Amino acid sequence: MGFIASHNHLYIDRVLEPYKLKGPMFAFLLTLSRWDGCSQESLARHLNLSKATATRAVRDLEGEGYVTRTRDRDDRRIYRVFISDSGRQLIPVIHKALSKWNGVLLSAFSEGEKEMFARLLDKGLATLEKFDIGSDTE
């Protein structure tokens, strides 16, 4: 699993390099394309990343003009993050890159194997989510 994830990161970083997207930045844009205006903290939680990683990624995305940050009107401690028009234009590019990667990864699988693989990954994810909820972080 780690080997697949490593290759995925290398591929995505290489394909998105012309757009100055690195690391989890593309995941932030994808999330914002669905939940525009969410807080930095909720972005970090949703993507299972630290607040520090979220802050760096959002700051870098803002520097490239892909997002804007504004303070919440009701709670000035909270930053709301909004995808910009130029950030929104990258969404199809990101989807195309992810689709190509998935096509390569699954190219030797039959249709039945692809369906089974997806079910097994979903089952593993559900198990991890239950573990995260019940795990003691102290």
Side-chain angles (χ1 to χ4, degrees), residues 67-125:
V67 302
T68 58
R69 287 185 318 154
T70 60
R71 289 207 185 261
D72 186 271
R73 290 183 208 180
D74 299 324
D75 187 341
R76 304 288 293 159
R77 297 170 296 176
I78 297 173
Y79 278 103
R80 298 274 169 204
V81 185
F82 298 89
I83 191 168
S84 69
D85 289 340
S86 60
R88 197 165 298 284
Q89 289 175 358
L90 288 180
I91 300 304
V93 173
I94 296 167
H95 281 297
K96 183 178 178 183
L98 292 172
S99 179
K100 184 173 181 182
W101 167 255
N102 288 338
V104 170
L105 176 65
L106 302 176
S107 63
F109 287 32
S110 70
E111 287 306 312
E113 289 170 331
K114 289 176 187 177
E115 291 172 15
M116 180 182 289
F117 187 64
R119 281 195 312 273
L120 291 170
L121 286 174
D122 286 343
K123 188 174 184 178
L125 177 61

